[in-house]
Structure formats: structure tokens, C-alpha cells
Amino acid sequence: MPTMSGLDYLRAMIAGELPPPPIAALMRMTLTQADVGTATFVCEPDESHYNPIGTVHGGLVCTLLDSVLGCAVQSTLAPGQGYTSIEINVNYLRPVLADSGPLTCVGTVTKPGNRVAFADGVVTDRAGKVVATATGSLLVFPIG
């Protein structure tokens, strides 16, 4: 990873040349697209993601948003740069059920940076309705 640009790394994962992180299988989410300043995930919620009241746990949606914000920022990074979340603010707008999916989550960098970057994310359900949004800030740092 330290020798590749962030965008090249993400595209290699999408192409199957590099393995996805283990959390992707656990959460049933797949990185499907990456361009400079943007990333897209698709997630297939199921009943294994349910909370005690019978809806998909908000943590799944938050994890999806945190991932897409991070990957959107990663797509702007040069070789030898990494990132980590500083903060994320999630707004839940609709409940998510097992049959709400696939969920599509798009992240967009609003301000790239060498020390801190900012991004927005939107999650839509199968019907195209927005189920959650997020804003976040991410620390950018040297790796390798």
C-alpha cells in the first residue's frame, strides 16, 4: 500500500487484484467504484444485522458511511499517505430493513488536505430514498 496512490489501491481492490478488508465480508459491503474524490459502496443488509427492535442496527449504516468517507479521501492520497477518521456525524432519516437493500453509499470529498480532509456521504435504499447522511473529518498522515 505505501507504494501505491490511494486511488490505484482502491481500484486494485475493485478489480480483485488486492483483497478487500475482512470487515467487508462481515458487513456484506463491497467497494464498487472509486474516482478522484469519490467512492461508492453497495451493502446487502440482512436479518443478521438486526437490532433488538427488528431493524438493521444503525452501526451497520454508520460503518458503511465511515468506510465510504475514508475511501473517498483515500482516493485523493499520494503514495505513502494514509488516513484515519477524526469524527463522523451521522443523520439517520429512515429505518433500514433486510429488504431495504441493496443500499448504495456514495462518499465525496468536500475538502482534500495534507493534514485533514473533509467528506460527505449519502446512503440510499433500493427505492432510491435517502436513509442516512454523514459528514466527517479525517486525519491524513505519512505511512510506510
Side-chain angles (χ1 to χ4, degrees):
M1 181 180 166
T3 62
M4 300 174 77
S5 74
L7 184 58
D8 288 343
Y9 188 84
L10 295 172
R11 287 183 172 165
M13 276 198 309
I14 293 166
E17 298 162 8
L18 292 172
I23 194 169
L26 178 67
M27 298 291 186
R28 299 188 55 169
M29 61 185 191
T30 304
L31 178 65
T32 60
Q33 186 176 354
D35 291 302
V36 176
T38 187
T40 302
F41 276 85
V42 173
C43 178
E44 290 284 350
D46 65 24
E47 290 181 2
S48 74
H49 298 127
Y50 274 17
N51 59 29
I53 62 169
T55 62
V56 170
H57 193 284
L60 173 76
V61 175
C62 183
T63 299
L64 185 60
L65 284 159
D66 187 52
S67 298
V68 83
L69 297 180
C71 287
V73 168
Q74 185 174 358
S75 74
T76 68
L77 300 182
Q81 288 185 304
Y83 68 92
T84 191
S85 298
I86 297 172
E87 64 83 30
I88 183 171
N89 180 36
V90 178
N91 293 297
Y92 299 97
L93 307 175
R94 297 182 155 45
V96 176
L97 303 171
D99 63 357
S100 296
L103 302 177
T104 301
C105 187
V106 177
T108 306
V109 173
T110 55
K111 183 187 175 299
N114 290 323
R115 295 188 49 112
V116 177
F118 299 87
D120 293 337
V122 177
V123 181
T124 54
D125 65 11
R126 172 189 322 273
K129 293 182 180 179
V130 176
V131 299
T133 62
T135 58
S137 58
L138 298 96
L139 180 67
V140 177
F141 54 87
I143 57 171

